[in-house]
Amino acid sequence: MADNNSNQNAANKKIKNAGFRKGLDIFLFLLPAILLFVGILIAPIAVSLYRSFQKWDGFQPGVFIGIKNYRDLFFSGSVHFVPALKNALIIAFFSVFVQLPFSLLLALLLGRKYKGERFFLTVYFMPVLISTVVIGQLWLKIYNPDYGILNRVLGAVGLSNWQHIWVGDPKTALGAVVVPTIWQYIGYHMLLMYAGVKGVSSDLREAAMLDGATNWQVDRYVVIPVIKPIIRTSVIFAVTGSLKSYDLVRIITNAGPTHKTEVPSTLLEDMLFLRNKYGMGSTISVMLIILCFAFALAITAIFKEKGE
Amino acid sequence: MKMRRVVSMLLAGVMALSLTACGGGAAAPAPAPEAPAAEEPAKEEAAAPAEEPAEEAPAAEASAEPISLNMWCIATESDSNRHSYEAAIADMQAAHPEVTFTWEAFENESYKPKIKAAVAADDLPDIFFTWSCAFLGDFVAAGKVKCLDDVYQNYKDELPEVMLGNSTYDGKHYGVPLTMNIVGLFANMDLLKEAGYDEIPGTYDDFIKCCDDLKAKGITPFGCAGKETWCVTEYLESIIEKSIGAEELNNVFVNGATWNNEGIAKAVDTFQEMIKKEYFDPAGIGLTNDEVKANFMAGKYAFYMNGTWNCADFAANDDFKDKVKVAEFPVIDSSKSKLGQLIGGPSDTLAVSASSPNADRAAEYAMELGKLICHYGYLDGCGLPAWTPYGDTSAVNPLTQAVSEICANADTYVLFGDTAMSAEDAQVYLDYVAQVYGSAIDGAGFIEGLAGDLR
């Protein structure tokens, strides 16, 4: 009996050791990735969070000021965070309700195996491959009030009254940023959705067709429900991408005129590097992280609810 | 001889600069009474061209041990100063083969965040371009910049101490000044002739009449880049200075006087009146400075107010150089201001990183390099010399010589507002200037806003 017990204990110990060894192996294999993840993502966020409670000019030691930066973010007129956030949300709105439907439409059409599918796929995806700086410069030329093609075309078709200083007029400047932003990433979302559309089983399509469904009905009742997880991902990318938008704004309007196209990322840069307000800059970056997470969770929840 | 006289008077004028620039800010310029250029003999001495060419300047016993130095600056391919940097660096590389020198140039606006990020990360290059006064002051206060007092002793005969006022903090020198510039009123004389003017009008009334006449001829008087707010300040600050006087403006910029100043509000309204009368190209609000400058050179605008560093580009353009003239903006309120009150001063500066592993030799190198950049920059017409000119300067273009004449008759200089103020104040100020140009606020809104946000 005693022998049995000791054998049992030894076996248990052996299993335990093997389990520990296995856990250790897994940990060691994961360690480089964990270190990278913590060092590149978690640590900077933690430092930003710490700095967001400080008044810090980037050069001298920071001074702890509690939540003053967060209060100023929303209530100080000179920070301009609320208008910047509003602009980012406007871009997000157009991304979700204009860009994504258009991408979906293109993906559905290309998914029907029309002639020249590959050609159109490449053409639509091309703006994604072009550098944003090039796209910004391209659109600046289009908008140029003197020689830009937009004003020229409007003039040529007798719509001179519609001619504008597109990037300099506070009424049109944000629109001048929204259009190229949407145009640039239509191809990106189209490609994501196209991959989903191509993944829909041909059996499902054929079954629906046999039941008398038209192409649009197949798309509406078969394809779209199947690719819903991809649409959800696209919505998350579109919204968080809009919140983080920076490059086209900086190139096309430089966040002007008079902050009319300011977005949180351009504001963040101004605070950090032009105003030497590293504490406030850190606060904006923390708010951006929080907002991106919040929107991602909310979008996931909305899609879940609809699915259920 | 004429050039010597102009330069000597210029140095005397810059002495006056020290009366105003950075007076109460972080910078502490050399007190005017002690400035060497204040007395006549000193002026003559300063005016005398240095005998030896730059290459033979004292090398201050630099070690011949090979080292590497790197530099950041804003002399990009399209910058007026590019040639002077290239020529100066070529000379330095020939004179100091033991130094492996590398340099990078960045666009003006993107350079500001870059250099500040480098300071914050303690990752400065050995030598870096900076603007003097408050901009450099932040770096000095953080202990990131090497004091150049020791190395300056080897160059004090060639670099008048008064020129170091804007880069002097707590009595210590931290910068190597390059050239000095003012805001100039450039005019396309071909367009002015079309409106019946052979010269740039000297009085404000005549100037406004000239603008009206230009408009009547279908010529846009001004171009101003709204996408780069510093370009708007070139106009606005000149108008404010010629309305309330240099002393009052400087008091507001650096000495803590309130922005709540009726004179400033009135000057802003004057500026906006010019916008309302469509003296300015409405498209300018969405253009960069390069685009506006190109338009001016292409004959789209009659006037262009900007830094005199543009003289180099204008003079280098064969089609344009004979059309352009430069003058001082006319006086608006003669009871408070007068001709000779200018916006500008020595601001372009080289500094040395305190953390450079070869800081001493970098300081020596920066001094030599700064002298050469100043030399070539002056010859190219990129600005007036902060260092005593040497060699044959007769080839300096007529436009820069005209600027020298203006400066020789100068009474007071007020440094560019965004350079004179601290980084945070400068951005708030620029925000309000942008709102003025966009007609989002008027003069009253401008002074109330700034009084509330800055003081």
Side-chain angles (χ1 to χ4, degrees):
Chain A
M1 192 66 177
D3 278 353
N4 277 350
N5 275 345
S6 72
N7 284 343
Q8 186 69 39
N9 283 341
N12 282 345
K13 207 173 174 184
K14 214 171 176 181
I15 291 167
K16 217 175 179 181
N17 280 344
F20 176 75
R21 184 78 192 266
K22 195 178 170 189
L24 187 68
D25 287 347
I26 292 170
F27 176 74
L28 285 174
F29 276 114
L30 285 177
L31 190 61
I34 291 171
L35 286 177
L36 273 177
F37 182 70
V38 171
I40 292 173
L41 196 71
I42 304 298
I45 291 174
V47 172
S48 290
L49 188 64
Y50 169 68
R51 290 293 187 188
S52 72
F53 296 108
Q54 290 186 330
K55 184 180 182 189
W56 182 43
D57 65 3
F59 314 128
Q60 315 276 9
V63 178
F64 181 79
I65 53 168
I67 59 163
K68 185 177 183 302
N69 282 334
Y70 288 90
R71 226 175 26 231
D72 287 350
L73 204 56
F74 292 99
F75 301 111
S76 167
S78 65
V79 176
H80 302 289
F81 180 73
V82 175
L85 184 60
K86 195 177 117 196
N87 289 338
L89 291 175
I90 289 171
I91 297 173
F93 176 85
F94 281 99
S95 295
V96 172
F97 294 103
V98 177
Q99 183 185 57
L100 294 187
F102 206 75
S103 299
L104 180 62
L105 180 70
L106 291 176
L108 292 172
L109 287 174
L110 288 175
R112 289 180 192 171
K113 296 180 183 169
Y114 285 132
K115 198 177 169 190
E117 179 185 335
R118 285 269 151 214
F119 170 75
F120 286 112
L121 198 65
T122 309
V123 169
Y124 296 143
F125 191 65
M126 208 172 276
V128 184
L129 301 176
I130 301 172
S131 152
T132 306
V133 178
V134 175
I135 287 177
Q137 290 297 333
L138 179 82
W139 280 88
L140 270 179
K141 300 288 177 283
I142 292 171
Y143 290 137
N144 188 289
D146 297 325
Y147 56 79
I149 194 168
L150 186 53
N151 274 358
R152 287 284 174 102
V153 167
L154 287 171
V157 298
L159 294 172
S160 302
N161 288 343
W162 290 21
Q163 288 177 336
H164 264 287
I165 302 158
W166 299 98
V167 300
D169 185 339
K171 289 178 192 146
T172 56
L174 188 60
V177 171
V178 168
V179 171
T181 306
I182 287 174
W183 173 78
Q184 186 185 7
Y185 288 105
I186 278 180
Y188 175 75
H189 294 292
M190 178 211 68
L191 199 70
L192 283 180
M193 293 173 189
Y194 173 79
V197 170
K198 296 302 270 186
V200 175
S201 159
S202 55
D203 293 350
L204 285 175
R205 282 176 180 274
E206 282 164 15
M209 299 287 249
L210 284 173
D211 287 343
T214 61
N215 271 335
W216 286 116
Q217 284 170 326
V218 171
D219 289 336
R220 167 72 183 84
Y221 297 106
V222 178
V223 180
I224 291 177
V226 172
I227 66 166
K228 200 178 247 181
I230 293 172
I231 295 174
R232 183 189 61 203
T233 307
S234 278
V235 172
I236 291 173
F237 282 171
V239 172
T240 55
S242 302
L243 287 172
K244 295 184 291 182
S245 54
Y246 167 81
D247 33 20
L248 277 175
V249 176
R250 188 54 91 201
I251 294 162
I252 292 175
T253 61
N254 202 18
T258 60
H259 297 286
K260 286 290 185 290
T261 57
E262 193 84 74
V263 287
S265 297
T266 53
L267 193 62
L268 167 72
E269 189 195 34
D270 280 359
M271 288 295 167
L272 288 176
F273 303 123
L274 292 181
R275 297 192 186 197
N276 294 357
K277 292 174 87 170
Y278 280 70
M280 180 56 82
S282 301
T283 311
I284 295 173
S285 66
V286 169
M287 281 308 297
L288 266 180
I289 293 165
I290 292 171
L291 285 168
C292 285
F293 270 106
F295 274 101
L297 291 174
I299 291 162
T300 309
I302 289 167
F303 271 80
K304 251 187 196 160
E305 198 182 339
K306 291 265 165 86
E308 283 158 10
Chain B
M1 275 311 286
K2 189 182 176 192
M3 186 59 63
R4 282 192 187 188
R5 185 176 61 82
V6 167
V7 172
S8 72
M9 292 177 79
L10 162 68
L11 291 174
V14 174
M15 180 275 296
L17 161 78
S18 66
L19 288 169
T20 56
C22 299
E34 294 167 20
E39 292 169 18
E40 199 61 29
K43 273 198 284 178
E44 286 299 322
E45 190 183 316
E51 292 299 319
E52 65 278 90
E55 293 85 344
E56 293 165 26
E61 298 139 35
S63 161
E65 190 186 324
I67 58 163
S68 294
L69 295 175
N70 67 330
M71 179 179 80
W72 289 356
C73 64
I74 59 167
T76 53
E77 293 286 349
S78 63
D79 191 277
S80 306
N81 292 288
R82 178 73 178 194
H83 171 258
S84 56
Y85 273 75
E86 286 175 339
I89 289 166
D91 282 1
M92 286 300 287
Q93 285 175 329
H96 298 278
E98 77 283 4
V99 178
T100 306
F101 188 76
T102 52
W103 63 297
E104 282 180 273
F106 305 90
E107 190 273 323
N108 185 317
E109 284 300 312
S110 61
Y111 182 73
K112 290 169 187 168
K114 183 171 180 69
I115 195 72
K116 287 179 182 179
V119 170
D122 212 1
D123 194 25
L124 278 169
D126 302 294
I127 300 168
F128 60 97
F129 172 90
T130 178
W131 293 271
S132 61
C133 244
F135 194 91
L136 176 60
D138 286 339
F139 305 161
V140 171
K144 309 283 185 181
V145 186
K146 181 173 170 55
C147 176
L148 302 176
D149 279 355
D150 291 343
V151 73
Y152 173 65
Q153 297 308 314
N154 300 329
Y155 296 90
K156 61 183 177 185
D157 293 340
E158 301 162 89
L159 179 60
E161 191 164 9
V162 68
M163 284 291 177
L164 297 170
N166 289 339
S167 54
T168 300
Y169 307 88
D170 293 330
K172 293 183 174 175
H173 308 315
Y174 289 88
V176 182
L178 303 175
T179 49
M180 63 161 278
N181 279 289
I182 58 166
V183 174
L185 175 65
F186 294 97
N188 182 327
M189 296 312 295
D190 278 6
L191 296 182
L192 257 65
K193 271 181 194 134
E194 281 182 40
Y197 292 82
D198 289 327
E199 289 298 328
I200 301 171
T203 68
Y204 184 66
D205 289 341
D206 288 347
F207 185 72
I208 291 299
K209 186 175 178 308
C210 175
C211 290
D212 288 333
D213 292 342
L214 285 164
K215 283 269 308 161
K217 288 276 177 191
I219 300 165
T220 307
F222 298 106
C224 175
K227 222 169 162 186
E228 295 178 49
T229 313
W230 66 267
C231 296
V232 185
T233 66
E234 310 273 291
Y235 286 87
L236 187 59
E237 287 173 5
S238 297
I239 291 171
I240 295 174
E241 188 184 44
K242 291 298 167 68
S243 299
I244 66 168
E247 194 178 345
E248 208 167 324
L249 178 60
N250 191 65
N251 283 339
V252 173
F253 275 174
V254 293
N255 291 335
T258 178
W259 276 97
N260 212 340
N261 180 314
E262 279 306 315
I264 294 178
K266 208 173 151 194
V268 170
D269 290 341
T270 302
F271 177 56
Q272 287 191 319
E273 188 64 27
M274 294 167 90
I275 297 170
K276 268 185 209 145
K277 284 180 170 177
E278 296 182 342
Y279 288 172
F280 285 83
D281 174 13
I285 199 160
L287 300 180
T288 61
N289 184 45
D290 283 348
E291 290 169 314
V292 167
K293 188 170 151 185
N295 283 344
F296 173 64
M297 291 173 79
K300 191 177 173 187
Y301 316 128
F303 296 111
Y304 171 68
M305 273 185 74
N306 209 284
T308 48
W309 52 82
N310 290 293
C311 292
D313 284 346
F314 295 157
N317 186 311
D318 288 337
D319 295 334
F320 189 62
K321 67 181 179 188
D322 296 327
K323 298 177 186 172
V324 64
K325 276 193 177 177
V326 63
E328 182 183 347
F329 193 81
V331 174
I332 297 173
D333 185 345
S334 57
S335 67
K336 293 178 177 171
S337 182
K338 58 182 177 181
L339 283 176
Q341 296 190 336
L342 304 170
I343 297 289
S347 174
D348 292 1
T349 303
L350 290 183
V352 176
S353 166
S355 60
S356 165
N358 301 297
D360 289 337
R361 291 182 64 186
E364 195 72 51
Y365 201 91
M367 277 285 180
E368 293 273 337
L369 183 62
K371 184 170 71 176
L372 285 169
I373 292 171
C374 173
H375 173 68
Y376 286 113
Y378 179 47
L379 293 182
D380 287 350
C382 298
L384 302 176
W387 292 68
T388 306
Y390 61 83
D392 180 11
T393 56
S394 60
V396 172
N397 71 70
L399 213 51
T400 301
Q401 290 187 30
V403 175
S404 295
E405 292 280 357
I406 293 169
C407 291
N409 295 318
D411 170 72
T412 324
Y413 295 82
V414 176
L415 197 60
F416 310 99
D418 55 342
T419 304
M421 288 181 232
S422 70
E424 188 180 345
D425 284 2
Q427 285 309 308
V428 175
Y429 165 68
L430 289 174
D431 276 355
Y432 279 97
V433 171
Q435 289 180 60
V436 165
Y437 191 45
S439 300
I441 54 170
D442 59 6
F446 182 75
I447 60 167
E448 279 165 24
L450 282 170
D453 285 352
L454 294 188
R455 309 275 185 243

